[in-house]
């Protein structure tokens, strides 16, 4: 079920916080299971025309830098990608586009987003259950209030600097807090953390603290295990589902008939032995010949998106376009053994999936890497 939420708006007044620091005080938007993005990087737009005049020259950089703070810890694979300007855009939980924008005078601040003189920014995430125990975010907009507040870049060397036209707020501080909601974090009771519910001025929350790091690394951990999985599962499957519903929707819709038959045949193949798997995959490809091309397109798309964060099941992958394990690009041999000790595939799009030789469970994305390798060999030999 879709769950639109106003994600715990950042208030301009001081709230009553816990008196002692808590080592694991961070919270998710809901749950557990905690909502999170299945496919990384999360792509977003900005509405440049909405940037307040005071910060028009710096607003985009402050937004990018805020997201960069959340992507910086070594323990997380969370990342975002700015797709550019989306003129005329507003907040819409049903359009599948993540937009960051301001509402400015003389427009009225929407009452549905909270009191105009108290709410500085609001994040509007929408998530749904993927049927595997995960709550996957699929849309989130951030709306900043330039009706009751004024925006500027706080300079610690000039602590008395301010702006006029409302209560002054530091751009990157507010952006970083709301972006924490965007990635799936709720408010924390840990004093000094960026995800505290109140803003008291200055730019202390422009950078994230240990409690914030604990949260982003729990939701998007290097290695794939996520607190959002129903039973300590891995994040590869949520990535696959999210990518299939979004970035790879065209390839997903094209995978019908024999493509689905090939898919179902492949996932039933034994994964304990590379040769046995290869023989099974080859037999499947003979049985469902017309499904090879659409299945390969689907697998390539999923793998290019999921190989980077899913190092447990899709190790060896580089970012799209980077060439993965094979710097020269082209089809991998599929039988020479990659970083994980078994068949690997690298195509010109940058997918490198090493899938044999790991003690971890081999999920569907791993199977995709193997079958593309097997089908690639079959095409070259036919």
């Amino acid at each position: 079920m879709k769950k639109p939420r106003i994600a715990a708006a950042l208030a301009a007044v001081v709230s009553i916080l816990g008196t002692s620091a808590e080592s694991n005080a961070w919270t998710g938007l809901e749950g557990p299971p905690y909502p999170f993005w299945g496919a990384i990087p999360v792509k977003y737009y900005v509405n440049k025309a909405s940037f307040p005049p005071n910060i028009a020259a710096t607003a985009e950089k402050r937004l990018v830098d805020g997201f960069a703070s959340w992507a910086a810890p070594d323990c997380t694979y969370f990342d975002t990608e700015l797709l550019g300007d989306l003129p005329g855009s507003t907040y819409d939980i049903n359009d599948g586009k993540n937009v960051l924008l301001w509402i400015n005078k003389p427009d009225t601040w929407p009452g549905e987003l909270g009191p105009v003189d108290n709410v500085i920014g609001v994040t509007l995430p929408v998530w749904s259950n993927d049927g595997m125990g995960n709550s996957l975010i699929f849309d989130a907009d951030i709306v900043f209030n330039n009706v009751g507040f004024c925006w500027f870049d706080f300079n610690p060397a000039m602590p008395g600097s301010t702006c006029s036209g409302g209560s002054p707020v530091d751009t990157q501080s507010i952006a970083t807090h709301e972006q924490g909601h965007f990635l799936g974090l709720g408010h924390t009771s840990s004093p000094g953390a960026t995800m505290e519910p109140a803003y008291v001025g200055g730019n202390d929350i422009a950078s994230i603290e240990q409690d914030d790091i604990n949260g982003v690394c729990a939701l998007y951990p290097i290695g794939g295990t996520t607190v959002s999985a129903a039973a300590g599962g891995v994040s590869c499957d949520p990535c696959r589902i999210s990518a299939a519903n979004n970035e790879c929707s065209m390839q997903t819709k094209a995978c019908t008939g024999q493509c689905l038959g090939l898919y179902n045949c492949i996932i039933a193949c034994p994964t304990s032995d590379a040769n046995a798997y290869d023989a099974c995959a080859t037999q499947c490809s003979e049985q469902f010949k017309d499904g090879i091309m659409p299945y390969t397109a689907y697998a390539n798309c999923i793998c290019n998106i999921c190989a980077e964060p899913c190092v447990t099941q899709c190790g060896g992958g580089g970012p799209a376009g980077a060439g993965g394990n094979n710097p020269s690009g082209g089809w991998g041999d599929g039988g020479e053994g990659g970083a994980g000790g078994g068949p690997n595939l690298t195509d010109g799009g940058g997918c490198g999936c090493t899938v044999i030789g790991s003690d971890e469970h081999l999920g569907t994305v791993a199977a995709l890497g193997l079958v593309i390798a097997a089908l690639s060999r079959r095409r070259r030999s036919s």
Side-chain angles (χ1 to χ4, degrees):
M1 182 179 71
K2 295 182 179 179
K3 298 182 179 179
R5 293 286 188 273
I6 293 179
L10 180 62
V13 297
V14 178
S15 298
I16 299 175
L17 303 176
T19 57
S20 61
E22 300 177 38
S23 59
N24 292 303
W26 71 269
T27 62
L29 293 172
E30 183 183 81
Y34 302 112
F36 68 105
W37 294 92
I40 301 295
V42 184
K43 300 175 182 179
Y44 69 99
Y45 298 89
V46 296
N47 183 340
K48 289 186 177 182
S50 75
F51 292 172
N54 286 356
I55 57 168
T58 60
E60 181 175 313
K61 186 176 188 308
R62 300 297 176 260
L63 297 176
V64 171
D65 288 349
F67 275 129
S69 294
W70 290 107
D74 292 339
C75 54
T76 184
Y77 68 87
F78 177 76
D79 202 4
T80 56
E81 178 185 348
L82 174 59
L83 296 181
D85 185 25
L86 194 62
S89 57
T90 185
Y91 61 95
D92 183 344
I93 64 172
N94 295 311
D95 65 356
K97 295 184 175 77
N98 309 311
V99 182
L100 280 63
L101 72 151
W102 275 262
I103 293 180
N104 303 278
K105 301 185 187 75
D107 292 338
T108 301
W109 176 254
E112 66 195 49
L113 301 183
V116 64
D117 58 351
N118 186 253
V119 174
I120 309 173
V122 174
T123 304
L124 302 165
V126 189
W127 61 88
S128 63
N129 190 286
D130 67 353
M132 300 169 59
N134 301 291
S135 294
L136 298 186
I137 305 172
F138 59 89
D139 192 300
D141 301 319
I142 301 180
V143 187
F144 300 110
N145 179 357
N146 191 41
V147 178
F149 298 87
C150 71
W151 296 74
F152 75 119
D153 292 330
F154 178 81
N155 185 350
M158 302 175 62
S161 60
T162 185
C163 57
S164 59
S167 300
V169 294
D170 174 60
T171 306
Q172 190 166 332
S173 295
I174 307 306
T176 306
H177 177 95
E178 291 303 323
Q179 289 162 348
H181 292 315
F182 180 96
L183 69 85
L185 293 177
H187 283 148
T188 181
S189 60
S190 179
T194 293
M195 295 313 296
E196 279 189 298
Y199 173 67
V200 295
N203 69 342
D204 287 346
I205 64 172
S207 59
I208 64 174
E209 307 303 324
Q210 189 59 54
D211 183 69
D212 307 305
I213 293 172
N214 292 344
V216 68
C217 290
L219 291 179
Y220 306 93
I222 292 292
T225 301
T226 169
V227 296
S228 295
V234 294
S235 61
C236 219
D237 286 337
C239 183
R240 173 178 62 84
I241 292 171
S242 182
N245 289 336
N246 295 288
E247 288 90 338
C248 303
S249 60
M250 183 182 301
Q251 292 86 346
T252 303
K253 292 176 182 178
C255 188
T256 60
Q258 287 222 345
C259 177
L260 287 175
L262 178 59
Y263 173 91
N264 291 325
C265 183
I266 289 294
I267 63 174
C269 289
T271 58
S272 57
D273 178 80
N275 291 330
Y277 188 97
D278 191 25
C280 178
T282 300
Q283 183 177 355
C284 291
S285 68
E286 291 290 344
Q287 183 178 354
F288 300 99
K289 291 180 180 180
D290 292 338
I292 292 177
M293 295 308 294
Y295 186 84
T296 301
Y298 169 77
N300 267 329
C301 185
I302 298 294
C303 194
N304 279 327
I305 293 170
C306 297
E308 178 88 3
C310 302
V311 295
T312 303
Q313 294 184 15
C314 265
N325 290 333
N326 182 357
S328 63
W331 286 98
D333 183 66
E336 298 300 320
N344 67 79
L345 167 76
T346 301
D347 67 9
C351 173
C353 288
T354 56
V355 294
I356 293 293
S358 169
D359 291 333
E360 301 292 339
H361 170 68
L362 290 174
T364 304
V365 174
L368 299 184
L370 273 173
V371 74
I372 297 176
L375 299 182
S376 173
R377 283 202 307 281
R378 179 181 175 278
R379 285 205 304 274
R380 289 201 305 271
S381 62
S382 59

